Amino acid sequence: MGVYAVAICLFFSLSVVLCLRIPNLSSDIEKDTILLSVCHPGNQPNPSTLRSDQLTVLINGYSESRIPLLQSIAASYSASPVVSSVLVLWGNPSTSPLTLSQLAYNLSVSSWGNAAISLVPQPSSSLNARFLPRSSIGTRAVLVCDDDVEVDLKTVEFAFRMWKGNPDRLIGIFVRSHDIDMTRKEWIYTVHPNKYSIVLTKFMMMKREYLFKYSCGGGSPMHEMRKMVDEMRNCEDILMNFVVAEETNTGPLMVGVERARDWGDPRNEDSDGDGLRLVRDVGLSSRKAEHWKRRGKCITEFHRVFGRMPLRYSYGKLVSSVGEQGLCKKGSNLVLCDH
Ligand SMILES: *[C@@H]1O[C@H](CO)[C@@H](O)[C@H](O)[C@H]1NC(C)=O
Ligand SMILES: *[C@@H]1O[C@H](CO)[C@@H](O)[C@H](O)[C@H]1NC(C)=O
């Protein structure tokens, strides 16, 4: 991982001095120290003090070029009455302290509602950090999301209602599947038209307890898999799906959306000039075909360490309206009977 990390660092920071902060053995020790403290039972809030009527939004940020978009997404979530607070987890250790303090200020004044928006700089770029069970999370539910997807608030509220009815499940909007390649005898990462087993962190709602299970539970096998996530700089979302499926023996739940704008999807056409391409291509996971292969490799590795395949398929999606679907003749047309 060393070589890859240094390449990223040079690319983003242009400063060799800042590269000393790139993860290596000593920062592994730093990560273990953070875990020891976060995972200490005394540092976990008493479950009875956690709010159930609201959730905490955790947005991952990394690319400085995406800051304006990140800020507008954070502001949008802050306007929802079901959002208690928005934490922007900044995972780029080479961002300058000046930019960080400006960003922290800009975010703090950009809330549109009662939910405060705060910046939480991460000591490393570890993707595992997005799942730390931070003491600042004072709600039973969390919404983990990316800095390039904006979901309308009606959908957020609908997803939260669905979570309340199914608090042990992972709830999402963007889904994928695992499958097996019989000829090569390995797992692949794919999309099925009618079923799914993986929810992406573009929008992932779940109970706070799963953050603890992911970060603090599972003994040395989980330690090994969190380390793989660090080495591959990818697949933390897949690992969370494994953790939850292992616990519940069921698949995730997909909710239908009113409107979800995805700036990170490679199928975006670059009609706005270079700005869009910049947003799309700076994502750490946007290397297309290679990306899908690496995700398949993660599934294969996690399966090996778990010793079984916990992922389960789910079918169908939850919809927020159950209007009459029958057709009636009105005038000379067949229209929905409700019309
Ligand atoms: C990791 O970084 C520390 C300084 O931060 C350095 O002393 C050490 O040699 C580095 N280890 C590796 C394996 O690069
Ligand atoms: C913060 O906001 C100011 C004023 O709108 C802007 O000039 C600056 O670029 C912003 N900085 C960051 C890091 O968001």
Side-chain angles (χ1 to χ4, degrees):
M1 96 149 271
V3 173
Y4 187 62
V6 168
I8 284 278
C9 156
L10 288 174
F11 180 76
F12 282 105
S13 75
L14 303 172
S15 154
V16 178
V17 176
L18 289 172
C19 287
L20 292 176
R21 298 172 64 185
I22 283 305
N24 70 3
L25 284 182
S26 69
S27 85
D28 268 3
I29 293 167
E30 187 183 359
K31 271 178 220 153
D32 288 348
T33 316
I34 294 171
L35 277 189
L36 267 182
S37 148
V38 171
C39 296
H40 189 275
N43 291 338
Q44 285 300 306
N46 179 342
S48 67
T49 63
L50 295 173
R51 290 186 73 144
S52 318
D53 59 334
Q54 288 186 319
L55 50 78
T56 306
V57 178
L58 306 167
I59 308 179
N60 246 35
Y62 185 91
S63 304
E64 290 170 32
S65 61
R66 275 185 188 170
I67 285 180
L69 184 56
L70 168 71
Q71 193 169 331
S72 102
I73 292 171
S76 155
Y77 283 124
S78 74
S80 170
V82 302
V83 171
S84 159
S85 66
V86 179
L87 304 184
V88 173
L89 310 175
W90 191 257
N92 186 347
S94 48
T95 300
S96 76
L98 178 63
T99 306
L100 282 180
S101 66
Q102 277 184 2
L103 179 58
Y105 175 77
N106 290 359
L107 287 174
S108 71
V109 296
S110 59
S111 175
W112 291 344
N114 291 323
I117 308 175
S118 9
L119 181 71
V120 188
Q122 307 301 301
S124 76
S125 60
S126 170
L127 291 168
N128 290 315
R130 71 189 317 185
F131 292 139
L132 282 176
R134 302 159 192 282
S135 54
S136 48
I137 303 173
T139 54
R140 261 175 221 287
V142 294
L143 168 60
V144 174
C145 51
D146 289 339
D147 61 353
D148 57 359
V149 176
E150 186 171 349
V151 175
D152 72 281
L153 296 186
K154 268 199 192 141
T155 298
V156 175
E157 283 150 36
F158 173 63
F160 187 44
R161 280 204 303 284
M162 294 302 103
W163 174 81
K164 283 181 184 167
N166 303 274
D168 295 331
R169 309 286 285 273
L170 271 187
I171 311 273
I173 290 178
F174 301 88
V175 296
R176 301 285 185 265
S177 283
H178 70 294
D179 206 341
I180 195 153
D181 178 340
M182 283 304 197
T183 51
R184 302 168 72 176
K185 300 231 164 37
E186 62 189 25
W187 294 98
I188 54 170
Y189 175 74
T190 186
V191 173
H192 287 127
N194 57 353
K195 62 180 180 180
Y196 54 94
S197 56
I198 295 168
V199 160
L200 301 185
T201 39
K202 285 173 187 287
F203 185 100
M204 177 190 275
M205 201 178 282
M206 64 187 150
K207 60 180 175 183
R208 188 188 191 286
E209 266 169 74
Y210 288 141
L211 302 179
F212 188 85
K213 284 228 147 65
Y214 180 104
S215 306
C216 313
S220 65
M222 268 310 286
H223 183 264
E224 185 183 339
M225 289 184 283
R226 287 192 302 265
K227 216 169 146 189
M228 287 176 193
V229 166
D230 277 336
E231 282 164 9
M232 293 187 268
R233 302 178 67 79
N234 200 334
C235 301
E236 81 286 8
D237 52 349
I238 295 180
L239 183 53
M240 180 56 94
N241 279 272
F242 268 75
V243 167
V244 175
E246 173 79 3
E247 185 77 10
T248 59
N249 206 26
T250 57
L253 289 175
M254 177 184 191
V255 295
V257 292
E258 299 252 325
R259 185 175 186 280
R261 175 71 172 94
D262 185 350
W263 281 272
D265 191 298
R267 289 162 297 186
N268 273 303
E269 288 175 7
D270 196 359
S271 55
D272 309 356
D274 277 337
L276 187 59
R277 177 182 295 136
L278 200 59
V279 165
R280 191 182 65 206
D281 291 347
V282 291
L284 280 177
S285 309
S286 60
R287 270 161 262 105
K288 299 171 196 150
E290 189 53 32
H291 169 69
W292 290 73
K293 242 170 80 186
R294 282 156 57 101
R295 308 261 294 169
K297 193 160 171 271
C298 291
I299 297 175
T300 301
E301 286 299 296
F302 296 156
H303 168 246
R304 180 181 62 75
V305 180
F306 265 82
R308 66 182 209 101
M309 172 47 75
L311 296 181
R312 293 284 173 272
Y313 290 114
S314 296
Y315 301 82
K317 82 182 149 193
L318 300 163
V319 292
S320 59
S321 136
V322 287
E324 184 61 56
Q325 301 182 67
L327 295 176
C328 293
K329 186 159 186 182
K330 295 193 180 174
S332 55
N333 297 325
L334 277 178
V335 296
L336 289 171
C337 299
D338 276 350
H339 272 240

